[in-house]
Each structure stands twice: as structure tokens, then as C-alpha cells.
Amino acid sequence: MPNILCNDLCKTYRQGDAVIKALDHVTLEIEPGDFICLSGPSGSGKTTLLNMIGGLDELDRGEISIDGQRVDQLSKGPLADLRLHHIGFVFQAYNLIPVLSARENVEFVMQVQGVPARERRRKSMAILKEVGLDGLEDRRPAQLSGGQQQRVAVARAIVSQPKLVLADEPTANLDSVSATHLMELFRELNQNHGVTFLISTHDERVMRYARRLIRMQDGKVISDEIQKSV
Amino acid sequence: MTLTLRMAWRNIWRHSRRTWLTATAMIFSNVLLVFMIALQFGSYDMMIDNTLKLFSGHLQVQAEGYQDNPKLRSSIADVRSLAAELRTALPEARVAPRAAGFALVSSEDRTFGIEVVGVEPASEPGVSTIPGMVTAGRYLEEADSAAIVIGAAMARNLKVGTGDELTLLGSGRDGSFAAGIVTVVGTFDSGSSDMDRALAEVPLPWFQDTFAMRGHGNSIAVAVDQLGAVADARAAAATVINDRDDLVVLDWNALHPGLRQAIQADLSSAWFMYGVLIILVGFSVLNTQLMSVLERTREFGVITALGVRPRRLASLVMQETALMALVGMAVGLFLGWLVTLYFHVHGFSYPGMEELAERFNLPGEMYPSITFGTMILGPGVVFLFCLLAAVYPALRLFRLHPVDAMRTV
Ligand SMILES: Nc1ncnc2c1ncn2[C@@H]1O[C@H](COP(=O)(O)OP(=O)(O)OP(=O)(O)O)[C@@H](O)[C@H]1O
Ligand SMILES: [Mg+2]
């Protein structure tokens, strides 16, 4: 059974008089443990697709199910719970809560998830070490580089072992070394922990890490191929 | 400290100047409220105390119905021995039996209707300040018989002075004709124009003889050291008269219904002023918290996207407000207490106070009352209103749409 199933997704936005087809009959299956890159020009609908799968926005048409559960039919509360417990998010930038340290950022989400305090502490330390932030646990986001901040965001996204990590241009604000390190981390988490990744990007170097590359344009999927080079 | 509380605390210092400005509004109003309320209650205590000290005492034992319809006939049998019993039961208090009736008083050329009160010259100074306010001649003494002390205004009206004789005419307790000749031994100036015009005091035994009282009296005044002791004294007095169904104990509230009304009128005008002040502080908090929520739209959008429910963010905003209000409360309470303490020790007076002082027979200086209640009342209400003011900004978070929120920069 497929992990995630998107069927005939449509979404239009109105900007003034213009009607923008952000998603135009998108159909997609994502298998558990897959490592997928979404690419396409600006405005092609990548963010919209990620938001839909993550239950952040409402579809005009179509259906999305994760493990057989219809995401598009859930109401706000259960959607929040779905995101909290089963989906990890990494956004382009400003991911972190600025007043909390790296460790507290990770612990905050775990606290909301209802993880007991001692376990929170242990897990957050372990995951920060795993993403390579050993010794930087008590720094605030402002005291971390862009790449380090994204690592904290990744740590926060995966600490409770979600089924799926949605990352929207996670490397956009990073230099190429940090971007490569982040992608290495993603690949390792995918290979060692079986986390499913769906990553939107403009970046050719990021796309090289993908097992499967989906190209979008004007809200449509224009190509969808398995890459052998990985 | 929980993570959310830590987060709240750090958040309020993200804009420390703004937080201090808002907290300063709270501090300012808290200092003002602490001092004003303490002063107000201090002045009420004083007003009550001084009004009661003048004549009525804090408590009175009376025949039932006497307060509303003071007739000579609604009386207390054996009033002096009941007074003695009360003295035993209330060793801390001062007790003075009295009899009182209406009489026509005549000098050589004038006649007026007045209130004549028979008093024990030795006990009276314990419950009334009138004996100490004799400005000409002297007060009554135990050895006096047909002697009278009258108000200064009455003396002027009657055109008499000390040593002059007055004729009293009235009717006795049994309906008989009561008459006597008394000598003015002193005049008093109480500051209360009613009393100075229409009150006269004579020795109780002489009154009882002249008005055919047969040992009866009309009231027993009881004075205690402070207002706080009234309730206990009242209970003790009630036990003493337990077996006498015709008697009641009245406290100052019943004796001076106008006093409480005056206080309540003053209170409600003060509450209005305080209310305006508190609402202004509330708006400043509303403004601050609304700004602080709006500028964090993106941050809150990301947090909501992670699956955190709006309820938690709303509670974060409420905790931030509560912390800020606590800072305002702690500092304001402390400074307010210092200011109040200073005036509590040194006394406080303001221009225009004389007028009030005269009306209610107050001394020229007021002493704010420092109790837990007077200290905490103002800051407590300010705190609640600050929380209330943050409800709207907090509720806005329930309408936050994560995608839109994250698109705002
Ligand atoms: N909330 C919205 N309101 C109005 N228009 C929107 C909204 N969200 C997306 N759009 C529009 O929908 C189209 C698709 O946007 P989307 O953000 O999905 O593109 P994208 O592929 O992520 O682009 P980019 O690479 O620039 O991030 C764009 O034209 C965008 O302007
Ligand atoms: Mg995008």
C-alpha cells in the first residue's frame, strides 16, 4: 500500500483579477522511505503541493491520503495532530523560535507532543548530536549560522520519527558547503531511519541527491523519473 | 519553570523598551491606586471614628424601636446596673448610661426646644468628646445636681453664660409634668452645629428624678479603641442583654445610617476615577500585546504549521501579559507601599481638606490605612484588567492561517 496518495489535486488562487492555477490536476504516489525532489520554476506550485500534503491549506478539488487516511477531509484539530505527530516540516528560513536555544526548540515540539521531560532532554541531545550540533545545544538561533539553524530545524522535524519530512527549499539560504552537508544529512536519515523525504528545490546540486525527481510547471507535473545516478 | 513560561519571559524582553513603557503605565497606576485607596480608607476610618467619638459611641444598647422613634418611654430599666454589667463583660470598653428627652428651655427672655441628655459625669468622657470641648466654665461633676452644660450656639441664642439659670419644661416618663431649674456650669463647642444649638447635658440622677424615670434610662453608649473591635464588643454586649428581650445592641452602622451612605457616595465617585485609570492601562496593554502578536505573525505561522494548536499560542500570549503585569504589580506595589508608609507615619493633608474635615469633624491630617486589602485591591484589579486586555490579541491567534501567516514577512 502506498504511503501517500495524491489524486487529481487542484488549487487556484486569486490575485486581484488574475486566477492562478497553483495546482492543476496533480496526481502522485509516494512510497514509504522514498527520497523525492520537487523542482520547477518559481510559481510552479511546489510550495502549494507541500502545503497540501502537510494539511496546511485547503484543496479546491482532489484527494490526499496518508496511509489510507484522507487528509483533505480532516478538520483543523486532527490536521494539527497529524502534523504534530506524523509530519516533519523544514521551511526555507526563520524556522526556529528565536527566544529558545537549539535544544529548547527541539524540546518545545516534543513537549507539545506530550513527551515526558526526561525523555525530551535525552532525545533532543541525541538528535542534535546526530545532526552535527554537538556542543551548540544552548545557542540561540541568532548565534548559529544559517546551515546550523537548518540542522536544528531538521532535528526538530525528525526527533519524533515522523513518517514524512516535507522540506520547502531547505537550502535556499545556505552556501553550497552547508547545502551539501544538509543534503548528506537528509540522505543519511533516509537510509538509516527510513524517513520519507519530499524536498522542493531550485538547486541542481540538491536534485542530484534525489532518488526520484519530479518536475513541475504551471501547477502541473511535467516529469517524474527515478534517478539512477545516486 | 516550564518551557512555555521561559519562552514567555524571554519574549517580553525582546522589546524591552516597549515592555518597560507598558509596565511603567502599570507601575504608575498601581502606585497611585495603592496610595489613594489606602488614604481613602484611612480617611473613612477616621471619619467614622471621629463621628462616633463625638457622642454616639461605637455601639449602643437601646430599647427596641428607640432608634427609629426615640420616646422617653421606650427605656431601659435599671440602666445604671446594666451599664455596670456591661463594664464587667467588656473590660476594654468604656460604657456610659444615658437618658434623653425633649424639653423646652427658657432663659429670661427666650425659649427653645432642645434635647436634654442625662449623663454620668464620670463615664461620659470615655464615650464622648463633648466633655473635652467645654470652652467656657466646666463640664459636669459627680457632685452636681441641678447643673447643665449647653452648646455654645444655644448659649448665644438664649443669651446666657455660666452661672445663669435656665428653666426646663417637659413631660416625665409617666406622662406627668416635668420641670426644673438648672444652673449653666459650662458651654461646649463641638464643631457640630446641630449639637451646639440643640444639645444639653445634665447629671443622670437629676434627670431621672425630674423626668420620673424611676431608675430607667434610654441608652447605654459603648466606645471601643478601634473600629476593628466593634464586632467582638457587639457580640459580648449581646450576651449581656440576652435575657432582656426588650433591648437591642446597635452598632455604628445602625446609629448613623448617613455615614455609610456618605462613604458609599464618595467611594463610587472614586471608583469611577480609578476605573478610567485602569481602562487606560488596559488599552496600553491591548496595544502592546496586539503589536507583539502582529509582528510575530510569521513566527506563529511556522509554529502552527508544526502542529501546535492556537490554544497554546494564546496561552503563551496570556502568560506573557501576566508576567508583564506581575512586574508592574510587584514594582508598583512596592513603590506604592513606600509612599503610603511615608504618609502613614507623617500624615497627609491636601488643599480643600479643611472643608471635609469640618463637615465630618476630622482632624486636619489623614493617615492612610495600610492593610493587606487596601494595598492589594488596586494592583489586583489592574492585573485582572491587563489580562482581560490581552484576551483580544490572544483570540486573534485562533484565526491564524499558517500558510498566509508564513507568507507575511
Ligand atoms: N496564498 C496565496 N495567495 C495567492 N496566491 C498564491 C498563494 N500561494 C501561492 N500563490 C500563487 O500560486 C502560485 C504557485 O505558488 P507556489 O508558492 O506553490 O510556487 P513555488 O513553486 O513554491 O514557487 P517558488 O519557487 O517561488 O517558491 C504562484 O503564482 C503564487 O503566486
Ligand atoms: Mg515555494
Side-chain angles (χ1 to χ4, degrees), chain A residues 13 15 20 22 41-48 169 202, chain B residues 404 407:
Chain A
Y13 289 111
Q15 277 179 348
I20 297 155
S42 189
S44 57
K46 304 182 295 293
T47 298
T48 308
E169 304 193 40
H202 288 289
Chain B
D404 294 337
R407 281 170 67 93

Side-chain angles (χ1 to χ4, degrees), chain A residues 3 21 24 33 36 45 50 62 74 85 91 93 101 104 113 130 135-137 148-149 161 172 194 226 229:
Chain A
N3 192 348
K21 287 190 174 176
D24 194 5
I36 306 172
L50 292 184
L74 289 176
H85 295 287
F91 302 103
S101 70
E104 287 167 336
Q113 286 167 340
E130 184 159 358
L136 303 179
E137 297 89 350
Q148 289 166 337
Q149 288 183 37
Q161 286 151 351
I226 307 290
S229 59

Side-chain angles (χ1 to χ4, degrees), chain B residues 235-248:
Chain B
T239 330
V240 173
I241 61 157
N242 208 11
D243 53 343
R244 296 184 61 169
D245 287 344
D246 57 326
L247 302 183
V248 290

